[in-house]
Amino acid sequence: MSANFGERLREIRKRRGLSQRELSQNSGVSLSLIRKLEQGEREDTRLETARQLASALKVPTTRLVAEHAEEPADDATVNRWAPVHAALAAPVQLDGLAEAPTFEGVRDAVRAAVPLFSHDRFVELGTALPSLLRDAEALTEIDPRGRPLRARLLELTGWLMTQTRQFDAAEMALDRALDDATDRIQGASTVNTQCWLLLRRGKLADARELAAQWADDVEPRMSRATPAELSTWGWLLLRLSAAAVRDNRPGEAEDALRLANSAAVALGRECTPEGDFLRTFGPVTVALKRTENAMVAGQPDKVLTLAARIPMNSLKPTSNNRNRHLLDVANAYTQQRQYAEAVDVFKQIRAGSPQWLPNQRYARDILAGIVGKRRTLTPDMRELADLVNLPV
């Protein structure tokens, strides 16, 4: 959060003719926090808090804060993935290879690695990914068929680095993947992940602009659109909606969500084009994102109402979209002081994706809220707090 956040907050509040107490009442942000922010005693606050203040002041969130990145990975995580970083940045060394890679060999290796990505098998990926990246790099130098394989692997790696909050490595991988893209659908798929990276880095305006530009470029003719085209367009609209709702632009967010829903209706079901789990899209995906928008807008009751209508058995336990949705449900329960229900949701996530959960700052924030409100903790609460590395 910029050091000028408090100054901008004070200036806009005065222009609106509000006292600090009135702003607190209108936004739901504590009076003490508003005072500390305006006096420069606190230079950091969550994006959710900035959005609440912006909503009460009737300005876009970006008027208050230009950028609010999630906390990046800690040193231990970066060190654990250092071989992947080195493989991403290292130049090709064909002379140093004992045996030149083949197209068939790299293709089969990439296919075999996809389930490791989709099931969040971070330990196995940490071992397998460096050599696979080097083989894909070398193959591209000797066989032009290797380029789309490398693009696919770089996109997956960028997604993984974003998932684990290694944002600089993610940006490098995704930029290279986009450069390698051989058609607009593959390029747009990479851009979809780039938009997610921008959202996690707090670059709301950049995410909105990029998603809108590419959504316009790939908008299909609905009467003859393929599942791949509908999925690609729909996901870009979901990213646009996510950026807009966080920037306190609810009308724009709803318009993008409505268009995404039209793509989902045209598909009629959840669809995974070409077996690419990153592009799974359909009515359930749109419903999950509609629920996410409600949580961002601070409507926990609406979150629980919407969530009750979503057929969760249609999604795999390892689905990141499913698990991100469940975190919204847990957050809604927490805000409604239904802590036991929130913990049950966390246990559900842990059962399906134990390696995914510790990398979610959102999960840590929710659990911090539960722990802070409870006089005593159950064994499940203590185990979950340890799993997400909640500070003692």
Side-chain angles (χ1 to χ4, degrees):
M1 187 71 72
S2 167
N4 294 323
F5 177 83
E7 295 177 10
R8 288 195 292 273
L9 176 62
R10 183 173 60 251
E11 290 170 1
I12 297 172
R13 176 180 61 77
K14 289 182 176 179
R15 286 285 299 274
R16 292 289 184 260
L18 296 173
S19 67
Q20 290 179 334
R21 186 174 301 279
E22 288 170 330
L23 177 57
S24 174
Q25 292 170 344
N26 293 346
S27 66
V29 177
S30 71
L31 177 60
S32 62
L33 178 56
I34 290 173
R35 286 173 174 166
K36 288 178 181 179
L37 289 169
E38 290 195 0
Q39 292 168 6
E41 296 176 17
R42 280 280 300 274
E43 294 181 358
D44 64 316
T45 190
R46 297 174 59 200
L47 183 59
E48 178 184 337
T49 302
R51 194 210 62 79
Q52 288 177 261
L53 292 167
S55 180
L57 293 167
K58 295 180 172 56
V59 296
T61 308
T62 45
R63 280 284 302 279
L64 285 176
V65 52
E67 185 173 319
H68 188 287
E70 288 188 31
E71 178 186 0
D74 57 25
D75 290 342
T77 300
V78 173
N79 291 337
R80 193 179 311 125
W81 292 97
V84 173
H85 298 179
L88 279 172
V92 180
Q93 298 286 347
L94 291 176
D95 295 340
L97 294 175
E99 185 177 353
T102 65
F103 172 78
E104 291 77 11
V106 174
R107 179 198 62 198
D108 292 346
V110 171
R111 287 176 179 172
V114 169
L116 300 181
F117 287 97
S118 64
H119 289 76
D120 300 313
R121 303 290 291 273
F122 296 154
V123 174
E124 292 91 332
L125 282 170
T127 301
L129 195 51
S131 60
L132 186 51
L133 283 166
R134 285 191 289 268
D135 284 349
E137 194 75 25
L139 176 66
T140 307
E141 293 296 310
I142 58 178
D143 188 334
R145 294 179 298 168
R147 183 178 170 189
L149 284 177
R150 183 174 65 179
R152 172 69 170 145
L153 184 60
L154 286 169
E155 180 190 0
L156 287 166
T157 303
W159 174 86
L160 173 66
M161 294 293 100
T162 304
Q163 188 72 266
T164 53
R165 305 196 313 277
Q166 300 175 84
F167 299 136
D168 290 341
E171 183 176 6
M172 178 194 304
L174 292 170
D175 283 347
R176 293 185 57 206
L178 186 58
D179 187 53
D180 269 350
T182 54
D183 59 65
R184 67 174 189 156
I185 294 296
Q186 186 179 43
S189 178
T190 298
V191 168
N192 173 42
T193 305
Q194 285 183 320
C195 289
W196 180 43
L197 171 61
L198 290 169
L199 284 169
R200 296 197 76 171
R201 299 190 101 164
K203 298 182 178 182
L204 303 181
D206 290 346
R208 284 176 53 244
E209 291 171 8
L210 185 63
Q213 174 192 333
W214 276 78
D216 286 345
D217 288 346
V218 302
E219 181 177 358
R221 298 184 66 173
M222 300 294 283
S223 60
R224 63 186 189 189
T226 66
E229 290 171 333
L230 290 169
S231 167
T232 299
W233 185 55
W235 261 113
L236 289 166
L237 290 165
L238 291 180
R239 297 302 186 199
L240 172 57
S241 181
V245 75
R246 284 162 174 79
D247 199 20
N248 192 33
R249 299 173 184 267
E252 184 177 335
E254 183 57 35
D255 286 346
L257 202 58
R258 176 177 50 79
L259 289 171
N261 189 60
S262 69
V265 169
L267 278 171
R269 58 181 176 82
E270 290 297 295
C271 181
T272 305
E274 301 175 10
D276 183 356
F277 74 97
L278 292 181
R279 289 191 278 165
T280 297
F281 179 81
V284 174
T285 298
V286 174
L288 296 178
K289 295 305 178 182
R290 185 178 297 280
T291 308
E292 180 181 319
N293 282 9
M295 192 69 255
V296 172
Q299 301 170 314
D301 53 342
K302 184 176 180 180
V303 169
L304 297 177
T305 299
L306 291 172
R309 303 172 186 164
I310 298 175
M312 295 303 292
N313 58 359
S314 65
L315 297 172
K316 296 178 180 179
T318 54
S319 164
N320 292 154
N321 289 326
R322 167 193 180 273
N323 291 331
R324 175 58 175 75
H325 166 74
L326 288 176
L327 286 180
D328 284 327
V329 174
N331 194 14
Y333 277 132
T334 301
Q335 293 192 19
Q336 302 280 53
R337 300 180 181 273
Q338 296 177 254
Y339 303 124
E341 290 83 351
V343 170
D344 285 343
V345 174
F346 270 105
K347 289 163 62 179
Q348 196 177 346
I349 301 171
R350 179 182 62 185
S353 298
Q355 294 187 47
W356 178 85
L357 195 55
N359 288 281
Q360 309 308 310
R361 171 63 188 272
Y362 187 26
R364 197 182 314 164
D365 289 343
I366 298 167
L367 278 167
I370 295 173
V371 170
K373 295 294 185 180
R374 297 274 301 190
R375 291 185 178 180
T376 59
L377 302 181
T378 66
D380 282 328
M381 290 176 183
R382 292 196 295 271
E383 290 176 14
L384 288 166
D386 290 340
L387 179 63
V388 301
N389 301 312
L390 188 66
V392 177

